[in-house]
Amino acid sequence: MPSSGESAAPGRESLDSMRTRATDLPIRFDEVCVSRAGVTILDRVTLQIEAGPPTVIVGPNGSGKTTFLRATMGLIAPTQGRITWGGADESPPVHRAFVFQRPTMLRRTAAANVRYALRTSGLPAARCDARIEELLGLVGLGGLGGLGGRPARRLSGGEQQRLALARALARDPAILFLDEPTASLDPAATKAIEDVIRTVSSSGIKIVMSTHDLGEARRIAGEIVLLHRGRIVERAAAAEFLSSPKSSEARSFIAGELLV
């Protein structure tokens, strides 16, 4: 786990080269169902995700948050219904990136992990060192002269998660999906991740993320979507959702009561 002093100090100037040339927004769900082995995980979800501040998905364990993110990324297909990206039924995920809750680190240095992501995204080798410095600096890992030279699997949990963010940003995404990016991290590591998320969002990259932490949703979200039993129970601007929830499920969730 990261030490109590772990933090990141990314700057907006680090994102100048991440301005996207195309976008898959809006992403639209029309009556989307996802079922596996006879179990309905997403149930008739209709939703449109547009450019703007972060969209944060909340809900109890088993509510369908991860499945929703994977479907939105295009990693799984709906059993029923339709998903479109920028109006297209099929859109290769070249402008989308996904950070899993437990990312896998390659058996190489932190810098080499980012290099691999850059090369697979098509960046010429001659430009890789400068981009590695930029991306590692953005997420607070200090570039090639800092933690970039350390074996990735020896980094703390928070450092690995920030490295996963750097790898995802190597794709120059228009949309970044984050599956509970601060789960099991201490407060200092959580703040470091949230600082990066704010910087990335302020650059114009759309953030769609899930969290179990309402405090984190309050700090980051532009809008909040509550999932329960695979259905969208409520969606509203963050301030409205947290201060004036309309549904009984949202009121219970905000109060810390169990949703069953």
Side-chain angles (χ1 to χ4, degrees):
M1 295 297 292
S3 66
S4 59
E6 182 182 25
S7 63
R12 287 192 62 178
E13 65 276 8
S14 299
L15 289 167
D16 285 347
S17 62
M18 293 183 193
R19 305 298 178 183
T20 53
R21 297 173 296 279
T23 181
D24 292 323
L25 295 169
I27 302 173
R28 181 168 179 80
F29 278 54
D30 288 311
E31 292 291 307
V32 168
C33 297
V34 174
S35 300
R36 293 290 183 270
V39 176
T40 299
I41 305 171
L42 294 181
D43 188 5
R44 291 173 291 172
V45 171
T46 294
L47 177 74
Q48 182 160 299
I49 296 174
E50 300 177 345
T55 296
V56 176
I57 314 301
V58 300
N61 288 339
S63 62
K65 298 189 297 296
T66 295
T67 299
F68 174 82
L69 288 179
R70 290 184 181 221
T72 311
M73 174 69 183
L75 296 176
I76 57 176
T79 308
Q80 297 179 22
R82 182 186 183 205
I83 304 175
T84 58
W85 294 268
D89 287 298
E90 295 184 7
S91 177
V94 294
H95 302 295
R96 309 190 293 272
F98 196 109
V99 175
F100 295 92
Q101 185 175 339
R102 296 178 180 84
T104 299
M105 299 290 107
L106 301 178
R107 291 182 181 273
R108 56 192 75 179
T109 66
N113 268 259
V114 178
R115 186 182 303 277
Y116 178 82
L118 290 169
R119 296 295 289 131
T120 57
S121 69
L123 189 72
R127 296 174 55 194
C128 280
D129 282 353
R131 287 290 284 137
I132 291 168
E133 285 283 352
E134 183 180 19
L135 289 165
L136 291 178
L138 168 67
V139 301
L141 293 181
L144 293 167
L147 294 178
R150 184 175 296 182
R153 295 190 178 190
R154 294 185 185 176
L155 298 175
S156 70
E159 290 163 351
Q160 287 190 6
Q161 196 72 354
R162 283 188 274 152
L163 177 57
L165 280 167
R167 291 190 312 195
L169 291 170
R171 295 172 58 86
D172 287 347
I175 313 163
L176 180 60
F177 299 95
L178 307 173
D179 188 8
E180 300 208 15
T182 63
S184 302
L185 299 183
D186 68 18
T190 295
K191 182 181 184 303
I193 295 291
E194 291 183 0
D195 286 346
V196 176
I197 292 170
R198 289 190 194 92
T199 300
V200 170
S201 177
S202 69
S203 78
I205 296 172
K206 176 66 180 185
I207 300 290
V208 184
M209 64 176 277
S210 63
T211 183
H212 63 282
D213 183 348
L214 269 178
E216 182 165 72
R218 187 186 303 273
R219 291 187 296 272
I220 289 178
E223 65 170 352
I224 296 176
V225 178
L226 174 61
L227 276 177
H228 181 45
R229 296 182 178 177
R231 295 185 176 184
I232 294 178
V233 173
E234 188 161 340
R235 176 188 187 182
E240 179 183 350
F241 179 93
L242 293 165
S243 64
S244 305
K246 303 296 188 295
S247 64
S248 59
E249 291 92 342
R251 289 191 292 271
S252 295
F253 188 73
I254 292 169
E257 301 172 5
L258 296 176
L259 292 183
V260 296

